[in-house]
Amino acid sequence: QGSAPFNGTYKPQGDLGLFNNGSNGNGTWYLKIRDTGPQDTGKVTNWSIRFGNGPASPPQALNSNLPIIIINTNGQAIPDDPKISASFKIIDNGPGQRNYATDTVFAYNGEIGIEQRGSSSGWAPKLSYGFETWDGNGNEVDSSFLGFPAQSDWILSASYYDKTLMRNVLSYKLFNEMQHYASRTRYVELILNGQYAGVYMVMEKIKRDNNRVDVAKITDRDTIGDGLTGGYIYKIDKFTGSGAGGWYSNYQPSNPTGDAIYYQYEYPKDNIKPQQQAYLAGYVDSFETALFGNNFQDPVNGFRRYAGEQSFM
């Protein structure tokens, strides 16, 4: 950690001994500089590495009161897309019990497909990941672990920019205790390819499911009548990792940039039908028109016609 100009001595964020993997440190070393700011200026004038005579001792095996997740990608780098296969193990000896990375009894032991998750957070030294639980043939399979209801889609959130590691967890916990749905979370410690990666949050990915977002299941045959009314899940979000399409609002936001509001399809996503697209966009537009209108508080024709007041708030 530091701020420009960077003068003085710094130590590595990770374990340099593990990074060097026991090889001879003599030879040519390269320093890679990555400037992520759009208007930064400056240059590197010099740098050096000094090796001491007292090498660090090997790190002790991790032990924790938190569950320990061990992921091994068998030498593969984890890309932003697509998912790659990896082994996935959980050590969780139960409440009040200590968990050791050397334990050989696993609360879960299976295969996953894993990829990087996030946009701007992809520059952080501690990355977030999305993963699916797979069977032996690489197919998604619903799995239950750490007290979560069974599903196949999960998130390992690094929360790198939140140094408390608590903001999302507390927000979701509070909302759940208010009898609404938000992603359930569990703190864990992660070992990735033999190296300690830090404290992470296992989270449920937003998904239509009786135990997650409990809206009606919709198929490509639901193009008329009650079936057309949903359920739907849509979002205002970055375009990274989406690409399923959506529509623009007819109203401008109140933010100073004046960017148009773009709603993206989340469920159904890839197979959403034109009739469903038209219904959803029309319903949201009717809601926004009522909300922006002079009679927005009218109990019959105002916004309450389209949104249940308590649930919407």
Side-chain angles (χ1 to χ4, degrees):
Q1 302 294 330
S3 59
F6 295 93
N7 297 309
T9 302
Y10 291 83
K11 65 180 181 179
Q13 285 185 278
D15 295 314
L16 191 59
L18 290 176
F19 163 75
N20 200 40
N21 199 26
S23 60
N24 192 325
N26 295 321
T28 303
W29 287 68
Y30 296 91
L31 176 67
K32 181 178 180 180
I33 303 295
R34 181 169 62 187
D35 188 351
T36 60
Q39 300 178 3
D40 294 344
T41 60
K43 61 182 180 180
V44 177
T45 56
N46 60 74
W47 73 284
S48 63
I49 291 181
R50 180 170 58 86
F51 295 94
N53 293 322
S57 59
Q60 299 297 313
L62 173 67
N63 68 90
S64 177
N65 63 310
L66 298 176
I68 299 172
I69 287 181
I70 301 174
I71 296 176
N72 192 330
T73 65
N74 298 309
Q76 303 175 88
I78 301 177
D80 186 37
D81 186 67
K83 294 180 176 68
I84 61 168
S85 62
S87 66
F88 180 81
K89 300 176 180 178
I90 299 177
I91 299 171
D92 183 13
N93 295 320
Q97 301 299 312
R98 201 74 181 167
N99 301 302
Y100 294 85
T102 54
D103 289 346
T104 57
V105 176
F106 303 109
Y108 186 89
N109 187 358
E111 297 295 315
I112 61 170
I114 186 170
E115 64 185 355
Q116 292 182 28
R117 175 182 172 86
S119 181
S120 57
S121 61
W123 294 101
K126 182 185 178 187
L127 297 173
S128 293
Y129 302 100
F131 68 95
E132 298 171 344
T133 46
W134 286 359
D135 62 18
N137 296 317
N139 301 313
E140 286 187 57
V141 58
D142 289 348
S143 302
S144 178
F145 47 78
L146 299 176
F148 292 107
Q151 246 294 347
S152 61
D153 288 305
W154 307 90
I155 296 166
L156 270 170
S157 176
S159 286
Y160 177 77
Y161 297 109
D162 171 17
K163 303 309 182 186
T164 71
L165 302 180
M166 291 193 298
R167 294 173 186 168
N168 286 339
V169 172
L170 287 174
S171 298
Y172 298 160
K173 179 177 174 62
L174 177 62
F175 201 59
N176 276 314
E177 291 181 349
M178 293 166 64
Q179 306 304 310
H180 304 291
Y181 173 75
S183 295
R184 300 174 182 89
T185 62
R186 280 292 302 272
Y187 285 111
V188 299
E189 304 216 45
L190 176 63
I191 298 176
L192 179 60
N193 291 328
Q195 295 194 31
Y196 178 67
V199 173
Y200 275 73
M201 280 70 70
V202 177
M203 297 169 48
E204 294 174 323
K205 184 179 179 181
I206 297 297
K207 193 170 182 179
R208 195 220 71 83
D209 184 88
N210 292 343
N211 292 308
R212 294 192 184 182
V213 183
D214 190 12
V215 295
K217 188 174 184 178
I218 191 169
T219 71
D220 55 7
R221 297 185 299 275
D222 293 315
T223 56
I224 59 174
D226 288 342
L228 178 61
T229 66
Y232 296 95
I233 302 175
Y234 57 99
K235 64 183 180 179
I236 303 173
D237 200 358
K238 294 180 179 180
F239 298 110
T240 305
S242 296
W247 75 96
Y248 283 99
S249 169
N250 290 318
Y251 296 88
Q252 290 294 311
S254 58
N255 64 348
T257 63
D259 294 335
I261 297 174
Y262 187 71
Y263 294 104
Q264 299 180 60
Y265 307 122
E266 183 64 26
Y267 174 82
K269 196 169 184 177
D270 298 326
N271 61 341
I272 188 169
K273 297 301 177 183
Q275 297 94 324
Q276 296 166 349
Q277 294 173 338
Y279 170 81
L280 180 58
Y283 192 96
V284 174
D285 179 63
S286 296
F287 163 72
E288 291 183 317
T289 299
L291 186 64
F292 274 80
N294 293 329
N295 297 322
F296 71 95
Q297 293 194 66
D298 188 290
V300 176
N301 295 313
F303 79 90
R304 293 171 180 85
R305 178 177 179 179
Y306 304 95
E309 182 174 1
Q310 293 299 319
S311 64
F312 180 70
M313 291 165 56

